[in-house]
Amino acid sequence: METDFDGFVAARSAALFRGALVLTGNRDAAEDLVQETLERACRKWRTVSAKDAPDAYVRRIMVNLANDRWRRFRRTVPQADGPDRAAPGDEYGQVDSRDQLVRALQQLPMRMRTVVVLRYFHDLSDAEIAADLDISASTVRSQLARGIEKLRSQFPALSAPTPRQHTEGIR
């Protein structure tokens, strides 16, 4: 069954952009990555649409392009320091937290970052991630565990138990 490319773009471009944004950490770079990904997919759309999972094939194109860019530019892009933490109740605090998360993700090695993005931003299973990246499911689990551990070390306040968790079970 051949899927219409325009329909695919309309249905999946937002999800591809979210994944690209987390992979690149930069809105402009994410837009470029999605555009280049879709351009490559369009050139081979007959082959891509004939696959069992064209979405996985396109994600794989995006991950490979992101890896290529990361290898090329990893030492040339300076990382700016993040802003101070927002006060509790600040309505823009979520934006600051999201920015801090994207910055923390940028500190992860590319494969680890890719596994975390595919799991939590694309909601894929271990088996789907393993198939997309051509690695074993156990490698996916280990990369995911290490990535989450590194992210938690970046956000100690979020990793610490809340007062409610301290008192749960105590009566």
Side-chain angles (χ1 to χ4, degrees), residues 25-110:
N26 177 306
R27 186 173 201 73
D28 293 331
E31 289 172 351
D32 290 344
L33 180 59
V34 170
Q35 181 177 349
E36 190 173 351
T37 299
L38 292 174
E39 176 188 340
R40 289 197 182 183
C42 182
R43 280 190 257 153
K44 298 183 179 195
W45 187 245
R46 283 189 182 169
T47 305
V48 172
S49 64
K51 302 283 184 190
D52 289 337
D55 193 39
Y57 191 90
V58 173
R59 271 195 314 270
R60 179 67 182 217
I61 292 171
M62 185 172 74
V63 167
N64 287 341
L65 288 171
N67 285 337
D68 291 347
R69 285 174 178 224
W70 180 77
R71 284 185 203 109
R72 206 173 327 137
F73 298 116
R74 68 179 162 192
R75 291 194 179 105
T76 61
V77 178
Q79 296 292 326
D81 291 335
D84 291 335
R85 218 180 165 132
D90 180 6
E91 63 187 49
Y92 297 104
Q94 279 189 317
V95 173
D96 290 339
S97 295
R98 189 175 301 131
D99 182 57
Q100 289 172 339
L101 176 61
V102 169
R103 289 175 192 272
L105 280 165
Q106 294 302 308
Q107 300 304 312
L108 296 178
M110 190 61 181

Side-chain angles (χ1 to χ4, degrees), residues 85 100-101 104-105 107-109 112 144-160:
R85 218 180 165 132
Q100 289 172 339
L101 176 61
L105 280 165
Q107 300 304 312
L108 296 178
M112 195 177 292
L144 187 61
R146 289 180 186 150
I148 296 301
E149 182 180 324
K150 286 183 178 193
L151 289 173
R152 284 185 177 147
S153 73
Q154 297 283 323
F155 298 97
L158 297 177
S159 299

Side-chain angles (χ1 to χ4, degrees), residues 13-24:
S13 61
L16 288 171
F17 177 75
R18 285 190 304 271
L21 183 60
V22 177
L23 285 172
T24 62

